[in-house]
Amino acid sequence: MRALLRGAVLAATTLAMITTTLTPAQAAPAVDDHAMGSQIRKHEGGGDRRIVINTDPSAQAAVYGIDVSSHQGNVDWAYWWGQGKRFAYVKATESTTYRNPYFAQQYNGSYNVGMIRGAYHFALPDRSSGAAQADFFVNNGGGWSRDGKTLPGALDMEYNPYGSTCYGLSQASMIAWVRSFSDRYHYRTGRWPVIYTSTSWWNQCAPGDFTTTNPLWVARYASTVGTLPYRWSYYTFWQYSSNPIDQNVFNGAYDRLQALANG
């Protein structure tokens, strides 16, 4: 009996040790932890193909970068700098319930290696108001400062991970939600957020005109950017691949990226 008890105690102690030493990357994925573009790839496909575009800096005015979330864990920023990436967006929050546990390493690490970086928020518009989610974002890493190295925050608008494509909202309600987030973010930071989306989702769910305020970050996994969402005639960022990591290009020279950071 004593041997059985000792065995049970040892098993319980071992289990406790294993549980307490799990890192976030080893644990089960958190609720409301969706990476930028994850739902676009799910519904529109193409994200896992290796896309070949002209990445020769001398051939065009362009700057290349990546975006990351908790799914990448601790990022080797020196490696990506060596791959020619000069900017990064880091997931900070989702809805009003989730904060990226790797945010500090990713956000500060990209800055420290020399990248211009910004934060993004994955929207769940059926959970709470746009203003409430903007406040949560700003309060948890999504702010902005005129230091020449910080991009305005980005609002990630894409397919609903949990149900109907447009979160059960009408087009008018979705447009109002985006405007509520955008206006609140502008009030808190003095900057308009970048809007990340795909042409298909935006035109179906939120065909509002934000062209005079919000820079566009379009997702399309192809060798050309294609048709842009409603009313936008120019894109600022293009997410063109997710292999081996989400890859993006800024539509302009490096000094224009610096200008966007400086406001």
Side-chain angles (χ1 to χ4, degrees), residues 19-254:
T19 302
T20 55
T21 56
L22 280 175
T23 66
Q26 294 170 311
V31 176
D32 293 344
D33 181 13
H34 299 95
M36 176 176 278
S38 59
Q39 305 310 301
I40 293 173
R41 291 188 287 274
K42 178 180 177 180
H43 290 270
E44 299 182 18
D48 294 326
R49 294 181 298 153
R50 184 172 292 279
I51 302 302
V52 178
I53 65 172
N54 186 356
T55 58
D56 179 0
S58 66
Q60 57 182 336
V63 185
Y64 293 89
I66 59 175
D67 63 83
V68 297
S69 68
S70 70
H71 296 269
Q72 280 71 49
N74 291 323
V75 175
D76 184 348
W77 290 108
Y79 170 81
W80 289 110
W81 179 268
Q83 295 298 304
K85 309 305 181 184
R86 294 296 180 262
F87 72 88
Y89 265 98
V90 176
K91 181 175 181 179
T93 52
E94 183 165 338
S95 184
T96 56
T97 55
Y98 174 83
R99 294 178 292 177
N100 175 8
Y102 292 97
F103 181 77
Q105 190 276 343
Q106 294 174 347
Y107 193 69
N108 296 331
S110 54
Y111 180 96
N112 290 338
V113 82
M115 292 186 186
I116 299 176
R117 50 78 159 115
Y120 79 85
H121 173 81
F122 191 104
L124 294 179
D126 58 343
R127 298 284 186 87
S128 54
S129 69
Q133 293 195 28
D135 279 332
F136 186 72
F137 179 44
V138 173
N139 293 343
N140 291 283
W144 174 79
S145 59
R146 187 176 280 109
D147 58 6
K149 298 288 290 293
T150 303
L151 294 163
L155 172 62
D156 182 350
M157 300 296 301
E158 55 185 281
Y159 297 83
N160 183 1
Y162 301 111
S164 61
T165 295
C166 301
Y167 299 83
L169 300 183
S170 66
Q171 290 183 340
S173 295
M174 187 67 80
I175 292 167
W177 192 97
V178 175
R179 198 167 302 284
S180 172
F181 184 102
S182 181
D183 288 349
R184 183 63 178 175
Y185 187 84
H186 183 263
Y187 173 79
R188 291 287 305 274
T189 68
R191 299 299 305 276
W192 298 105
V194 176
I195 293 178
Y196 168 93
T197 194
S198 75
T199 297
S200 178
W201 185 89
W202 185 265
N203 289 351
Q204 180 179 351
C205 298
D209 187 354
F210 291 83
T211 59
T212 61
T213 50
N214 303 80
L216 170 66
W217 185 354
V218 65
R220 184 170 187 263
Y221 311 111
S223 58
T224 60
V225 72
T227 303
L228 299 180
Y230 179 78
R231 291 289 176 91
W232 271 294
S233 60
Y234 178 89
Y235 70 90
T236 299
F237 297 101
W238 167 27
Q239 187 188 70
Y240 62 88
S241 178
S242 65
N243 190 343
I245 198 168
D246 284 354
Q247 300 196 58
N248 304 279
V249 59
F250 172 75
N251 189 12
Y254 188 77

